[in-house]
Amino acid sequence: MVRGRISRLSVRDVRFPTSLGGHGSDAMHTDPDYSAAYVVIETDAEDGLKGCGITFTLGKGTEVVVCAVNALAHHVLNKDLKDIVGDFRGFYRQLASDGQLRWIGPEKGVVHLATAAILNAVWDLWAKQEGKVTPLTNDPRTLVSCIDFRYITDVLTEEDALEILQKGQVGKKEREEQMLAQGYPAYTTSCAWLGYSDDTLKQVATALQQGWLRADLPVKNLSLQMMDANQRWDVPEAVEWMSKLAKFKPLWIEEPTSPDDILGHATISKALVPLGIGVATGEQCHNRVIFKQLLQVKALQFLQIDSCRLGSINENLSVLLMAKKFEIPVCPHAGGVGLCELVQHLIIFDYVSVSASLKNRMCEYVDHLHEHFKYPVVIQRASYMPPKDAGYSTEMKEESVKKHQYPDGEVWKKLLAAQEN
Amino acid sequence: MVRGRISRLSVRDVRFPTSLGGHGSDAMHTDPDYSAAYVVIETDAEDGLKGCGITFTLGKGTEVVVCAVNALAHHVLNKDLKDIVGDFRGFYRQLASDGQLRWIGPEKGVVHLATAAILNAVWDLWAKQEGKVTPLTNDPRTLVSCIDFRYITDVLTEEDALEILQKGQVGKKEREEQMLAQGYPAYTTSCAWLGYSDDTLKQVATALQQGWLRADLPVKNLSLQMMDANQRWDVPEAVEWMSKLAKFKPLWIEEPTSPDDILGHATISKALVPLGIGVATGEQCHNRVIFKQLLQVKALQFLQIDSCRLGSINENLSVLLMAKKFEIPVCPHAGGVGLCELVQHLIIFDYVSVSASLKNRMCEYVDHLHEHFKYPVVIQRASYMPPKDAGYSTEMKEESVKKHQYPDGEVWKKLLAAQEN
């Protein structure tokens, strides 16, 4: 079934001027233009199928990721898709450990985001060729063969991974049917703290005014469940502030400090769990090694994967499996542009084939920019409904891409001309 | 004294084809072309002084860092140098926390290397304008004002930093004179395992053949003191291999596993310290938050800063001070192109003003590519002699830059033409 040699890779800088409306702004990211480095790979198979991959960015810097994709492109070009997916672990490592490029990573930041965009395109093409509505429809052994276990074998070996996925086969059919009928529970972060009493609002507002918190409001439950600090605090500050805010009984505090501070998260977690508050983090955790350690020291109670920050499905799989091993619920980060489209595949797979549980689990959802995708997410009754089209839902409408290309697309030409006047 | 408005920033992709001779190759970086993103800033002060900054790279990917420097340039252009260094902490944070660019970092990988190159240029210009032979010649209060303490106050506060630097004033004059007379002890990694018995060689060679170790040979002491695993091992492997190699009594094992694995280094360290082997790491540790944690969990016995991986002197200062607080010796990474030139300033400052000790301390040295610098390092009796020219020793010879610019410099035009034939 898998066919063709990769004959072309294109990458484009696509930006949506969301900062004009203030969408998505927080204490650390004050003026985001939701953007993507958008990769398309084509083969010589003459079947008309293209693999599309994105990585999410915030505007400026997208050109840097585009540059990194081009630097990695030679690993993909002129390769048979069969050879790539036949040794997907090896291919992942080839990209992630390029002898010259790994110095400017390794497995983090720009080069890793670029790796994700390319790998996302490969997964999309693979699924399209096989007519699968999600690239994760594969037997346990094939999925395990896609994971690079380097640096995580002290917590998860290949055998562990296989065992978890094989156990996940039990009851899988029922869970699939449940997903098709009900979908996966979502919560939204786009409507903030609507509906609180004046007193509650005033006290939270103090923290909000200082740019230290964003209140996340779940679709299903109008209470202040989640708070988001967006990395604003040092460790002692995080403990102090959250102890004061404990009376509002938040389910979690998100990103209380630097995403690199594993021990800091552990300290915060140790102080807050007795108060009934969990720690959530992950959207800026840069690879599986960071997640491994967060799990090892009980530094989080909710694990927030991001579909583009890590090295695509290959690396996210390893994180889902480690989370299962430590019995920590995965509640993905989403929003931006395309993140919901991609992450729905991961989280539905997590329920159907890994965790088999919905307890304390939900997936972020933001109602932005879905109209630019060929196969946009479908939300019903505040739940993600499983995708119905073949692929990884990564394909953008060509018209949208053209219009929003930076700086030459129609939208930007106008905006930049207006700025100059 | 500080004068002028930054009127120009240029950045060039400079590569030396070192892979042709196999210099600097190791298990993970098999074909490095020592390279640099080379930044030059100029002012309108009409004094002819330029600030030069580099960040070290391995060839491919230099263009990605160049792209990131351009994305950051607007933070520098049209600013008064006086305002930049007058609030150097704020300026550091502005670069490191750019609202859109931090998403593709933050403070790691490409954007952080680009930040380093720009900040290195600022420090060079500042020192040149003030006629100082090292940019670190500043009073404790000024130096502290350059450090961003965000995310490290649980270990090092501004007050702690000031106290350490003020204590460092005691005996400073004597240590300065000692450095001028004797220099700072160096060891080299370019001559490998010369001079061992056949038996020793055979056993080490097994590991070496498998690409798992590089033997580092100190200039002053012809014994197998350091071993370098270049991140090749998982945690259990590292412990197993080093337990076998303990009979050779190495002083340290360098980079035994992923530079992101703080807990892994702690586990390895715990197993090896009783065997008399220390853990050394740092050349790929991406920011002060990682070093903070390595120190917190006793994960290293030798701390290897890199002058270009971290955010210039601003961030390296915070790491030197944390190392002092934990009484861990700093043994910098150097080599590549320009790293020796820059790091000599940091390590001599560490001795003169921070640690006041040479015990278990030495600075890496590799005898490559110094001829391309206007003020190259001076090595005498296997020691770094203190710089004598104003600035940060970062300025390259214009002729060298022109010749080695990629892909249009003379050297690369020839090489690329030869490759095509």
Side-chain angles (χ1 to χ4, degrees):
Chain A
M1 283 289 283
V2 185
R3 61 197 174 266
R5 176 175 291 243
I6 314 291
S7 53
R8 188 164 180 262
L9 181 151
S10 72
V11 53
R12 289 185 281 176
D13 179 338
V14 186
R15 307 188 189 186
F16 300 91
T18 46
S19 66
L20 297 178
H23 306 308
S25 63
D26 65 48
M28 296 295 251
H29 311 90
T30 48
D31 57 348
D33 287 326
Y34 286 168
S35 306
Y38 181 58
V39 171
V40 178
I41 53 175
E42 295 170 52
T43 73
D44 59 7
E46 299 186 350
D47 54 9
L49 296 178
K50 297 176 179 185
C52 304
I54 67 157
T55 199
F56 172 57
T57 49
L58 293 188
K60 213 170 32 184
T62 313
E63 78 282 16
V64 185
V65 181
V66 164
C67 188
V69 168
N70 283 320
L72 284 163
H74 67 284
H75 290 291
V76 191
L77 283 168
N78 300 315
K79 297 274 163 67
D80 283 340
L81 182 63
K82 186 164 52 67
D83 294 338
I84 290 176
V85 303
D87 177 23
F88 216 161
R89 178 183 301 164
F91 182 72
Y92 172 90
R93 190 178 286 190
Q94 200 184 324
L95 286 180
S97 267
D98 177 291
Q100 295 191 337
L101 285 170
R102 79 183 301 284
W103 183 264
I104 61 171
E107 294 187 87
K108 58 176 68 71
V110 170
V111 285
H112 212 46
L113 291 164
T115 298
I118 292 174
L119 291 173
N120 285 337
V122 171
W123 281 97
D124 183 52
L125 182 59
W126 188 15
K128 280 176 177 167
Q129 283 199 357
E130 298 202 325
K132 291 174 175 168
V133 295
T134 173
L136 286 142
T137 310
N138 265 304
D139 63 283
R141 214 166 278 277
T142 302
L143 289 174
V144 167
S145 77
C146 302
I147 299 173
D148 188 353
F149 290 91
R150 176 177 272 178
Y151 302 141
I152 57 171
T153 58
D154 48 336
V155 154
L156 186 83
T157 63
E158 192 167 344
E159 295 69 38
D160 296 337
L162 200 57
E163 194 186 323
I164 293 172
L165 286 172
Q166 276 162 347
K167 276 190 190 155
Q169 300 287 306
V170 181
K172 189 178 156 195
K173 185 126 197 66
E174 291 72 25
R175 291 191 294 277
E176 273 174 346
E177 279 163 15
Q178 183 193 351
M179 284 293 106
L180 286 168
Q182 301 167 16
Y184 194 94
Y187 75 100
T188 187
T189 40
S190 49
C191 54
W193 60 92
L194 200 73
Y196 291 129
S197 74
D198 280 1
D199 253 0
T200 307
L201 266 183
K202 250 186 238 162
Q203 294 174 69
V204 180
T206 310
L208 286 163
Q209 274 167 3
Q210 300 181 7
W212 279 18
L213 286 177
R214 181 187 67 182
D216 290 350
L217 189 75
V219 172
K220 290 188 168 173
N221 184 351
L222 294 184
S223 65
L224 182 64
Q225 285 204 341
M226 296 83 129
M227 292 180 177
D228 192 335
N230 293 109
Q231 311 169 23
R232 188 62 192 260
W233 288 319
D234 278 24
V235 176
E237 279 177 306
V239 172
E240 197 188 324
W241 267 97
M242 288 312 298
S243 304
K244 282 183 197 160
L245 294 166
K247 58 185 161 191
F248 299 115
K249 302 195 184 308
L251 179 64
W252 76 46
I253 174 68
E254 185 171 337
E255 293 203 297
T257 189
S258 163
D260 297 332
D261 199 346
I262 294 143
L263 300 172
H265 280 88
T267 301
I268 296 165
S269 193
K270 203 173 169 187
L272 298 187
V273 167
L275 305 177
I277 309 169
V279 168
T281 194
E283 69 181 72
Q284 290 197 24
C285 292
H286 58 265
N287 63 32
R288 67 196 177 284
V289 183
I290 299 298
F291 281 112
K292 177 186 81 168
Q293 296 173 82
L294 288 166
L295 290 165
Q296 282 177 304
V297 287
K298 299 185 173 54
L300 41 66
Q301 284 65 50
F302 302 91
L303 189 153
Q304 302 179 301
I305 54 167
D306 179 290
S307 56
C308 295
R309 172 82 51 192
L310 296 194
S312 189
I313 292 176
N314 311 67
E315 193 170 23
N316 268 303
L317 264 179
S318 70
V319 175
L320 296 181
L321 293 166
M322 288 193 286
K324 168 66 182 174
K325 191 157 175 185
F326 286 89
E327 292 294 349
I328 291 292
V330 175
C331 300
H333 170 246
V337 53
L339 296 180
C340 300
E341 272 68 21
L342 275 71
V343 92
Q344 63 177 335
H345 292 269
L346 296 167
I347 197 60
I348 292 174
F349 169 80
D350 183 59
Y351 175 61
V352 169
S353 301
V354 182
S355 75
S357 166
L358 291 177
K359 194 184 165 196
N360 280 331
R361 286 163 170 91
M362 63 206 112
C363 185
E364 189 172 15
Y365 173 72
V366 181
D367 195 14
H368 276 160
L369 307 174
H370 302 292
E371 66 274 21
H372 301 294
F373 285 82
K374 203 161 166 188
Y375 313 107
V377 285
V378 175
I379 299 287
Q380 283 176 9
R381 299 173 305 278
S383 296
Y384 278 94
M385 301 312 291
K388 290 188 172 163
D389 299 284
Y392 194 16
S393 311
T394 34
E395 188 166 348
M396 295 180 84
K397 291 179 186 164
E398 182 54 29
E399 196 193 319
S400 292
V401 175
K402 266 196 190 145
K403 253 183 158 168
H404 294 89
Q405 248 186 279
Y406 185 88
D408 295 324
E410 189 187 312
V411 167
W412 287 103
K413 266 192 184 158
K414 270 188 211 164
L415 278 169
L416 295 170
Q419 272 176 26
E420 275 174 23
N421 294 333
Chain B
M1 283 289 282
V2 185
R3 59 195 175 267
R5 177 174 291 242
I6 314 290
S7 53
R8 187 164 180 260
L9 181 151
S10 71
V11 53
R12 289 185 281 175
D13 178 339
V14 186
R15 307 190 189 185
F16 300 90
T18 45
S19 65
L20 298 177
H23 306 307
S25 63
D26 66 47
M28 297 295 251
H29 311 90
T30 48
D31 57 348
D33 287 326
Y34 285 168
S35 307
Y38 181 59
V39 172
V40 178
I41 53 175
E42 295 168 53
T43 72
D44 59 5
E46 299 188 350
D47 54 10
L49 296 179
K50 296 174 179 185
C52 304
I54 67 158
T55 199
F56 173 57
T57 49
L58 294 188
K60 214 170 30 185
T62 312
E63 79 280 16
V64 184
V65 181
V66 164
C67 188
V69 168
N70 283 322
L72 284 163
H74 67 283
H75 289 291
V76 190
L77 284 168
N78 300 315
K79 297 275 163 66
D80 283 339
L81 182 63
K82 186 163 52 66
D83 294 339
I84 290 177
V85 302
D87 178 22
F88 216 161
R89 176 183 303 163
F91 182 71
Y92 171 91
R93 190 178 287 189
Q94 201 184 322
L95 286 180
S97 269
D98 177 290
Q100 295 190 337
L101 284 170
R102 81 184 298 284
W103 183 264
I104 61 172
E107 294 187 86
K108 59 177 66 72
V110 170
V111 285
H112 212 45
L113 291 164
T115 298
I118 292 173
L119 291 173
N120 285 336
V122 171
W123 281 98
D124 182 53
L125 182 59
W126 188 15
K128 279 175 177 166
Q129 284 198 358
E130 299 201 326
K132 291 174 175 169
V133 295
T134 173
L136 286 142
T137 309
N138 265 305
D139 63 281
R141 214 165 279 277
T142 302
L143 290 173
V144 167
S145 77
C146 302
I147 299 173
D148 188 352
F149 290 90
R150 176 176 272 179
Y151 302 141
I152 56 171
T153 56
D154 47 338
V155 154
L156 186 82
T157 63
E158 192 167 344
E159 295 69 37
D160 296 337
L162 199 59
E163 195 187 323
I164 293 172
L165 286 172
Q166 277 162 347
K167 277 191 188 154
Q169 300 287 305
V170 182
K172 188 178 158 194
K173 185 130 194 66
E174 291 72 24
R175 291 191 294 277
E176 273 174 346
E177 279 163 16
Q178 182 193 351
M179 285 292 107
L180 286 168
Q182 301 166 16
Y184 194 94
Y187 75 100
T188 187
T189 39
S190 49
C191 54
W193 60 92
L194 199 74
Y196 292 129
S197 74
D198 280 1
D199 252 359
T200 308
L201 264 182
K202 250 186 239 164
Q203 293 173 69
V204 179
T206 311
L208 285 162
Q209 274 167 3
Q210 300 181 6
W212 280 19
L213 285 178
R214 182 187 65 182
D216 289 350
L217 188 76
V219 173
K220 289 188 170 175
N221 184 351
L222 294 185
S223 64
L224 182 64
Q225 286 204 340
M226 294 85 129
M227 293 179 176
D228 192 336
N230 292 109
Q231 311 170 22
R232 189 61 191 260
W233 288 318
D234 278 25
V235 176
E237 278 177 308
V239 173
E240 197 188 324
W241 266 98
M242 287 312 298
S243 303
K244 282 183 196 161
L245 293 167
K247 57 185 162 190
F248 300 114
K249 303 194 182 307
L251 179 63
W252 75 47
I253 174 68
E254 186 172 336
E255 293 203 297
T257 189
S258 162
D260 297 332
D261 199 347
I262 293 142
L263 300 172
H265 280 88
T267 301
I268 296 164
S269 192
K270 204 173 170 187
L272 299 186
V273 167
L275 305 177
I277 309 168
V279 168
T281 195
E283 69 181 72
Q284 291 198 22
C285 291
H286 58 265
N287 63 32
R288 65 195 177 285
V289 183
I290 299 297
F291 281 111
K292 176 186 81 168
Q293 295 173 83
L294 287 166
L295 290 165
Q296 282 178 304
V297 287
K298 299 185 173 54
L300 42 64
Q301 284 65 50
F302 302 92
L303 189 153
Q304 302 180 300
I305 54 166
D306 179 290
S307 55
C308 296
R309 171 82 50 191
L310 296 193
S312 190
I313 292 175
N314 311 67
E315 194 169 24
N316 268 303
L317 263 179
S318 70
V319 175
L320 296 181
L321 293 166
M322 287 193 286
K324 169 66 182 172
K325 191 158 175 184
F326 285 89
E327 291 295 350
I328 291 292
V330 176
C331 299
H333 170 246
V337 54
L339 296 180
C340 300
E341 273 68 22
L342 275 71
V343 91
Q344 62 177 337
H345 292 270
L346 296 166
I347 197 60
I348 292 175
F349 169 81
D350 184 58
Y351 175 61
V352 168
S353 301
V354 182
S355 75
S357 166
L358 292 176
K359 195 184 164 196
N360 280 331
R361 286 162 169 92
M362 63 206 113
C363 185
E364 189 172 15
Y365 173 72
V366 180
D367 195 14
H368 276 162
L369 307 174
H370 302 291
E371 66 275 21
H372 301 294
F373 285 82
K374 204 161 166 187
Y375 312 107
V377 285
V378 175
I379 299 287
Q380 284 175 10
R381 300 174 303 280
S383 296
Y384 279 92
M385 301 311 292
K388 290 186 171 165
D389 299 284
Y392 195 14
S393 311
T394 34
E395 188 166 346
M396 294 180 86
K397 291 179 185 164
E398 182 53 29
E399 196 193 319
S400 292
V401 174
K402 265 195 189 147
K403 253 183 158 168
H404 294 89
Q405 249 186 278
Y406 185 89
D408 294 325
E410 190 187 310
V411 167
W412 286 103
K413 265 192 183 159
K414 268 188 211 163
L415 279 169
L416 296 169
Q419 272 175 26
E420 275 174 22
N421 293 335

